Amino acid sequence: MFVIIYKKFFIGLSIAFVVVALTAVFVYGLPLGIDFKGGSQLQVNYTTDRPELAHIKELLKNTPVATATIQPSGTSSIIIKSDTITESEKNNVVAALHSDAPTLTEESFTTIGPSVGAELKRKAITSIMLVLIAIILFVAYAFRKVARPVSAWKYGLAVIIALIHDIAIPLGAFALLGHFYGAELDTLFVVALLTTLALSIADTIVVFDRIREHLGAKQGISFATLVGESLSETFARSINTSLMVLIMVVTLAIVGPTSTRLFAIVLAIGMFFGTYSSIFLASPLLVIFEQSQKKKK
C-alpha cells in the first residue's frame, strides 16, 4: 500500500506537525480559562442591539473588570471573564452596562476560586495520564503473544508515539486559537482530548489486530507487505467512520451554540489528526521497527 511505500514521508510529516504544535505551545502558551486558574465569568444579554466591544470596554474602564476579556456570545450576549470579583463588584459592572442599555439582563455569574481551579487542573492532568497508562497496558496485554517479527512491546511503543502526536497537535492548535482569537482552555477541552484519544486508539487497534491475524495466517511474505495488506483492508472502514463523526462535529462547530463551538473545533482537529496517526504513523512505525531490527542482525 502507498502508506508503507512512502512511510518515511508520512512519518516525517507527523514529526513536522508535532514540532509546529509544540513550538506554538512554547511561544504562545496555553490560555487557561477560569476553570483552571480561577476567576469570575459574567454573561449578560442585550434585548436591543448589542454595542461594539470597544464601546463596552469604554463603559467598563472604571470598574473592577477594566482589563477583563470580553467575548460576544450568540447574537445579543457578551461574556466577561476576569479575575475573581465579589457580588457587589459584579453589581457595579452590571450597573455600568445598564447606564447605556437599561433593558440589559444578567444571564449568569460564576466564580471559581484559585484553589478550586488548581484542583481541577490537577484532576484534568491526572485523568489524561490514567487514560494513557490504561491504553498502554491494554495494548501490552492484547499483543502479549506476538513475538515475531516485531516484539509486543514495540506495538505499545508505536501506540505511545501516536498518542503523543494526538495530544500535541490539539494543544498547539489551542495555543494558536488562544493567541489569535482569545480562546481559553476549559474542561470541555479535556473532554475533547480524551474523546480524541479514545477514537484514535480504536482505529489503531483495529489495524494492529488485523496485522496480528495475518501474522498467524500468512507465512512467507514480508512484514511490510503484510502491514500494507492490513491497512488496505481497514482503510475504508477507518476513513468512513472518522468522516461521519467529523461531518457531525464540523456541523456542530458551524451552527452549534457558542458555548460548545471551541469544543467542536478541538474535537474536529483531534479527529482528523487522530485518524491520520492511526493510518499514516502507527503502522508505518511498526515497519520501521522491523527493518531496524533486521539491520542489527
Side-chain angles (χ1 to χ4, degrees), residues 4 146 148-151 154-155 208 211-212 214-215 218 220-230 282-291 294:
I4 301 303
V146 179
R148 296 181 181 178
V150 176
S151 303
K154 290 186 179 178
Y155 285 83
F208 281 9
I211 293 171
R212 180 177 58 178
H214 286 341
L215 283 172
K218 297 185 178 183
I221 64 174
S222 69
F223 185 67
T225 302
L226 189 146
V227 173
E229 290 182 2
S230 301
S283 296
L285 278 174
L286 288 180
V287 178
I288 294 291
F289 293 156
E290 188 264 348
Q291 292 175 346
K294 274 185 177 180

Side-chain angles (χ1 to χ4, degrees), residues 20-25 28 30 167-178 189:
V20 171
L22 293 180
T23 300
V25 172
Y28 300 123
L30 290 174
I167 290 174
I169 293 177
L171 285 174
F174 210 89
L176 292 173
L177 288 172
F189 175 85

